Amino acid sequence: MSRKSEQREIILKTVKSTDIHPDADWIYQQVKKEIPDISLGTVYRNLKLLAGKGNIRQLDIDNGPSHFDGRTDLHHHLKCIKCGRIMDIDYSLKSEDIERIGKENDFSVTEYSFVFYGICSRCIK
Amino acid sequence: MSRKSEQREIILKTVKSTDIHPDADWIYQQVKKEIPDISLGTVYRNLKLLAGKGNIRQLDIDNGPSHFDGRTDLHHHLKCIKCGRIMDIDYSLKSEDIERIGKENDFSVTEYSFVFYGICSRCIK
DNA sequence: GTAATTGCAAACGGTTTGCGATCTC
DNA sequence: GAGATCGCAAACCGTTTGCAATTAC
């Protein structure tokens, strides 16, 4: 199965160490400081593997590159339309609401992902 | 500003005519039936222009190509994780909830987009 | 020793863009 | 006739993949 590699460990540590929801290239730049000859392909391969195992989450908000989230518990996101910053939000629906939404639409809901757009506190000033 | 063109009119009509949330290539194939020598570039250019004007909406759910939505009123989406189908859902939050979420996070919410994942009625059988 | 993982570079898919020709106003 | 739009093709960007060498177990 999945062996251990220094590359993967440092990639995981890097994603977990920040809440800025970085993209692959940012992670690549960070990891390069510790492993100068790591390749971007390795970063992509490991991000995919880690997301598949549930160690990190992949966020696809709008177009552009995917972002990665070290938090894997149920939460959602705010995105500032001015600066592009993505922030965590601890909002969730009541399970009875989820159930009702499923029933009303003849759909079995297993997950949900909310994105709120607007202006963040830094940009509003 | 923006002049009228047959290409743009037919692209708009095509997006409005369906609820399957097609991607650019599907729209291209449809429009080609009416304008055989239209180019894919023209389709992309017009989809972007129409989305910018608010005549259609661009959906970026997961990775992969953008999807386009002829509905521009407030609504959200269900995505079947088996067949990939994207469906409309007429769910919305109470404005007091939106306001509370904004206050709690020091963020001025202007829009929000929800995606529910799960199994659709066709796939559950 | 076997198979997972790597760095490298080429390829991929979706989208954008520069161009000269053609339309719309 | 000015400038928006077109078709075409090349370029772009984020991501994936084939390969031979290396590493973990």
Side-chain angles (χ1 to χ4, degrees):
Chain A
M1 270 291 303
S2 174
R3 292 179 184 168
K4 93 172 8 182
S5 83
E6 197 196 355
Q7 286 85 343
R8 179 146 61 242
E9 276 167 23
I10 295 183
I11 289 165
L12 177 57
K13 182 191 74 179
T14 301
V15 177
K16 293 277 189 195
S17 73
T18 182
D19 65 353
I20 66 164
H21 308 86
D23 62 17
D25 195 65
W26 185 95
I27 297 161
Y28 174 53
Q29 301 301 336
Q30 294 305 115
V31 173
K32 249 210 288 208
K33 293 175 186 168
E34 299 187 51
I35 310 176
D37 62 353
I38 195 171
S39 80
L40 186 53
T42 294
V43 172
Y44 274 105
R45 264 190 294 245
N46 280 298
L47 287 172
K48 196 174 189 177
L49 195 154
L50 291 166
K53 291 201 294 173
N55 292 333
I56 62 175
R57 275 174 60 190
Q58 177 170 345
L59 305 179
D60 292 293
I61 300 178
D62 304 335
N63 33 13
S66 292
H67 294 260
F68 295 89
D69 194 341
R71 275 187 64 180
T72 56
D73 61 322
L74 177 58
H75 70 287
H76 299 279
H77 297 95
L78 301 164
K79 180 171 179 182
C80 178
I81 55 179
K82 279 196 83 172
C83 68
R85 186 157 66 115
I86 299 169
M87 284 156 286
D88 292 316
I89 175 180
D90 284 313
Y91 177 76
S92 70
L93 289 186
K94 293 176 201 138
S95 57
E96 66 237 43
D97 285 336
I98 303 283
E99 235 170 85
R100 184 177 48 74
I101 289 164
K103 256 184 203 144
E104 284 173 3
N105 292 276
D106 202 10
F107 190 91
S108 166
V109 175
T110 57
E111 262 185 81
Y112 56 104
S113 160
F114 296 174
V115 184
F116 296 86
Y117 297 90
I119 313 287
C120 76
S121 55
R122 287 187 204 153
C123 289
I124 213 161
K125 288 162 194 164
Chain B
M1 272 290 304
S2 175
R3 292 180 184 169
K4 94 171 9 181
S5 82
E6 196 197 356
Q7 286 87 342
R8 179 148 60 241
E9 274 167 24
I10 295 184
I11 289 165
L12 177 57
K13 182 192 75 180
T14 302
V15 177
K16 293 277 189 196
S17 73
T18 182
D19 65 354
I20 66 164
H21 308 85
D23 61 18
D25 195 64
W26 185 95
I27 297 161
Y28 174 53
Q29 300 303 334
Q30 294 305 115
V31 173
K32 249 211 287 212
K33 293 175 186 168
E34 300 188 51
I35 311 176
D37 62 354
I38 194 172
S39 81
L40 186 53
T42 295
V43 172
Y44 274 106
R45 263 190 293 243
N46 279 298
L47 288 172
K48 197 173 187 178
L49 194 154
L50 290 166
K53 290 201 295 174
N55 292 332
I56 62 175
R57 274 175 57 190
Q58 176 170 346
L59 305 179
D60 292 292
I61 300 177
D62 305 335
N63 32 14
S66 292
H67 293 261
F68 294 88
D69 194 339
R71 275 186 64 180
T72 55
D73 61 322
L74 177 58
H75 70 288
H76 300 281
H77 297 95
L78 301 163
K79 179 171 180 182
C80 178
I81 55 179
K82 280 195 84 170
C83 68
R85 186 156 66 114
I86 299 169
M87 284 156 288
D88 292 316
I89 176 180
D90 283 314
Y91 179 76
S92 69
L93 289 186
K94 293 176 203 139
S95 58
E96 66 236 44
D97 285 336
I98 303 282
E99 233 170 87
R100 184 178 46 76
I101 290 163
K103 257 183 205 147
E104 284 173 2
N105 291 276
D106 202 10
F107 190 92
S108 167
V109 175
T110 56
E111 262 185 82
Y112 56 104
S113 160
F114 295 174
V115 183
F116 295 87
Y117 297 90
I119 313 288
C120 76
S121 54
R122 286 188 203 153
C123 288
I124 212 162
K125 288 163 191 161

